[in-house]
């Protein structure tokens, strides 16, 4: 560990000795040791760590209450299950990250085991927002492949460019593959991360190198899925303009992007040993607490944006105006927590690699939403009333 002039040399030496001892015994540094030592902030009776716990806990409570209100509003006005269950899943992204950040701050030793869980749910949310856009464009999965073929045919009829080699359905299935690959990828990295923490020493180079590989795999997988969703939204934006897809997409993805950048920055700082503890800010405050506290603050601020982007007012108005019916809250909760649409979509996306003949009327699109409407007799009519500009194609 490098020593930095201008900082308390004694503290730095004790931290170095603690880390050497932890590495020798294949344990993590004692949480009560010098790596977590700091005196109270000036003119206060609390440490910087305690201040972060208080603020992140307050932010976490606010985020949970606000998102519960938002999700409860959708459940109370469950008019279009295929859309609203994906919206509820995307909304849940904020409390998952906020709770993970608070637990990591409250008890630094839990951070390695907690961090992979929000990362996994991030992948789940990316798929959810993609399925939301697909439902906006064409809620009837039984004709979805033909729908995208018709769009492609219309584009070819007005374009002077060379006829594309792939049909509209094939392009859609390829997009599904790029998006859905994030599910098995995140499951694999989640299992690998937890196994790595259980099988390697906390300060070993093997763990550090393996974590770097896991982060690279996650970054590549996330980039592939996000780019596919952005391109899909850009291509079909005009068909769902009244649903504000760009607001929804960038509200969700901007916080994911910030979290990704923070992880890269703090990982680089850790690898270069540039954390500089002071008498008020401990080594753990810098290496773990600060990053998680920033995430907690971001979740708090983004809650207000989520209230606008994923509001339930349009569904409430549709019910009041008699344009669609409302389903029971129990069936709404079952829809939200039932992951079969995503599981089937993932299997179908990878299955399409071996079965190109499925690009007819029963491909990935059929399996993606196979369980969307059979619980809700009124959902088909409601979805057709909400499909926006897709009728013009």
């Amino acid at each position: 560990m490098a020593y930095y002039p201008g900082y308390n040399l004694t503290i730095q030496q004790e931290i170095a000795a603690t880390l050497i001892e932890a590495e020798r015994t294949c344990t993590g540094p004692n949480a009560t040791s010098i790596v977590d030592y700091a005196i109270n902030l000036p003119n206060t009776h609390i440490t910087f760590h305690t201040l972060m716990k208080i603020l992140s806990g307050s932010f976490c409570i606010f985020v949970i209450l606000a998102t519960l209100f938002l999700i409860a509003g959708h459940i109370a006005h469950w008019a279009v299950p295929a859309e609203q269950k994906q919206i509820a899943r995307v909304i849940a992204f904020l409390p998952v990250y906020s709770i993970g950040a608070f637990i990591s701050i409250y008890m630094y030793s839990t951070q390695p085991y907690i961090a992979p869980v929000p990362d996994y749910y991030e992948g789940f949310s990316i798929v959810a927002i993609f399925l939301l856009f697909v439902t906006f464009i064409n809620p009837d999965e039984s004709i979805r492949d033909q729908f995208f073929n018709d769009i492609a045919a219309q584009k070819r009829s007005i374009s002077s460019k060379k006829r594309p080699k792939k049909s509209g359905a094939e392009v859609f299935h390829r997009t599904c593959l790029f998006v859905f690959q994030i599910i098995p990828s995140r499951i694999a990295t989640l299992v690998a991360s937890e196994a790595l923490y259980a099988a390697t020493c906390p300060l070993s180079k093997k763990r550090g190198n393996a974590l770097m590989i896991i982060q690279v795999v996650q970054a590549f997988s996330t980039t592939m899925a996000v780019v596919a969703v952005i391109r899909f939204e850009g291509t079909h934006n005009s068909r769902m303009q009244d649903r504000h897809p760009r607001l929804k997409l960038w509200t969700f993805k901007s916080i994911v992007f910030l979290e990704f950048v923070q992880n890269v920055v703090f990982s680089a700082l850790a690898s270069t040993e540039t954390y500089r503890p002071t008498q008020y800010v401990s080594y753990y405050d810098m290496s773990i607490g600060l990053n998680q506290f920033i995430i907690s603050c971001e979740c708090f601020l983004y809650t207000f944006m989520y209230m606008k982007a994923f509001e339930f007012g349009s569904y409430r108005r549709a019910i009041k105006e008699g344009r669609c019916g409302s389903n029971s809250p129990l069936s709404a909760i079952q829809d939200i927590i039932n992951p079969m649409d995503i599981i089937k979509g993932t299997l179908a996306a990878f299955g399409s690699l071996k079965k190109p003949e499925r690009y007819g009327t029963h491909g990935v699109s059929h399996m993606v939403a196979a369980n969307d409407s059979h619980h809700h007799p009124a959902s088909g009519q409601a979805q057709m009333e909400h499909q926006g500009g897709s009728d013009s194609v």
Side-chain angles (χ1 to χ4, degrees), residues 287-305:
S287 61
I288 299 176
L290 189 58
N291 183 25
Q292 298 301 316
F293 181 67
I294 294 173
I295 292 175
S296 181
C297 294
E298 289 169 349
C299 289
F300 169 73
L301 295 175
Y302 268 85
T303 301
F304 299 99
M305 299 175 64

Side-chain angles (χ1 to χ4, degrees), residues 1-3 8-30 32-36 203 273 277 283-284:
M1 177 175 177
Y3 298 136
N8 190 305
L9 182 60
T10 302
I11 291 179
Q12 294 186 70
Q13 290 174 336
E14 291 186 26
I15 290 175
T18 300
L19 295 178
I20 292 172
E21 177 64 17
E23 186 172 3
R24 185 185 68 81
T25 58
C26 194
T27 59
N30 189 336
T32 60
S33 70
I34 191 65
V35 294
D36 198 25
L203 302 181
E273 298 183 347
Y283 180 80
Y284 272 173

